[in-house]
Amino acid sequence: EAVGRCPVASLALDEPKLASVIERISLAAAVGESDTVHQLVRSLSAELTVAVDRPCAVNTSATPNATDANATSAFGCGLTIELAQGARERMLEQLEAAQEGDVPTLDSLRIWSESVAAVLDMPGQLDKVAQLLGAEYVKRLASSTLSTGIDASSSLHLTRSFTTVLSDKGEQLDDEARAERDKLISDAARALSSGMLVGSVVGEAP
């Protein structure tokens, strides 16, 4: 069953609201409310994509004739890249926490792989730690296909995650970290290929 989406802080995602959403994700993960974790993670990931360095929105009600740079900002001027990177790292950590003890099934794999793909969808907002965390998590999900098999949706999301992580050429990574990340993704791709052979990709002809 698809996880619904809930708006996070549309048009007004600033540092305090970002911290509040991350705290809600942490609390939901701690008490096992995985549906809430997925909803918040997907919504926040989408909002972070457009929230970094967003141009200021002028509050014309406060300054009706304002056109200069000193006009009051209604929504702030976006988040720094460092805040977005930290948020994506925290979301990966909380997805792992929420999944702890979960026995993989075909349905749960679909849900987890979609959420992880959402977090990894903006490679420019993934620092060294997030890239390695993401690669390790994707490998774990891909490895679970050896017991669950995989459907077309999960395959799409995992493949998207491989591509996104590798699209960052590693400017933030030293040679050792880059090699570790690339090996994790390579191992994940091999596991996924094997998982597709568990029967066949669900929903497709063998």
Side-chain angles (χ1 to χ4, degrees):
E1 183 179 348
V3 174
R5 298 178 186 272
C6 57
V8 172
S10 180
L11 297 178
L13 186 62
D14 55 18
E15 186 172 355
K17 287 175 181 164
L18 175 61
S20 175
V21 176
I22 292 294
E23 179 64 19
R24 288 167 62 193
I25 293 171
S26 299
L27 289 173
V31 298
E33 294 181 357
S34 59
D35 283 352
T36 300
V37 173
H38 290 298
Q39 290 169 1
L40 291 172
V41 160
R42 294 178 193 181
S43 293
L44 180 56
S45 295
E47 180 64 15
L48 283 171
T49 299
V50 298
V52 173
D53 296 330
R54 180 172 48 212
C56 293
V58 174
N59 184 348
T60 55
S61 64
T63 52
N65 298 315
T67 57
D68 59 68
N70 294 321
T72 301
S73 171
F75 305 125
C77 302
L79 301 171
T80 65
I81 186 67
E82 291 79 13
L83 285 171
Q85 288 173 336
R88 289 186 188 271
E89 179 183 330
R90 286 288 291 151
M91 285 192 285
L92 288 169
E93 292 172 345
Q94 295 309 315
L95 281 170
E96 286 191 294
Q99 194 183 11
E100 186 174 352
D102 181 63
V103 178
T105 65
L106 197 60
D107 287 339
S108 69
L109 176 64
R110 184 184 310 115
I111 293 170
W112 292 106
S113 61
E114 182 175 353
S115 293
V116 172
V119 177
L120 298 177
D121 199 39
M122 198 71 177
Q125 293 180 11
L126 301 174
D127 61 12
K128 172 182 175 179
V129 175
Q131 287 188 43
L132 292 175
L133 272 176
E136 184 176 353
Y137 198 0
V138 167
K139 178 186 173 182
R140 182 192 307 173
L141 291 174
S143 296
S144 71
T145 66
L146 297 173
S147 60
T148 64
I150 188 168
D151 63 11
S153 176
S154 298
S155 178
L156 175 65
H157 291 308
L158 288 174
T159 303
R160 172 181 154 201
S161 292
F162 299 163
T163 303
T164 303
V165 172
L166 291 177
S167 70
D168 189 300
K169 300 307 179 184
E171 288 83 357
Q172 302 184 73
L173 305 180
D174 56 31
D175 290 345
E176 183 178 353
R178 186 182 305 110
E180 180 182 355
R181 179 203 65 182
D182 292 354
K183 184 179 186 306
L184 287 166
I185 293 298
S186 178
D187 289 347
R190 281 196 294 271
L192 180 60
S193 296
S194 297
M196 288 179 174
L197 299 177
V198 178
S200 63
V201 179
V202 177
E204 296 183 2

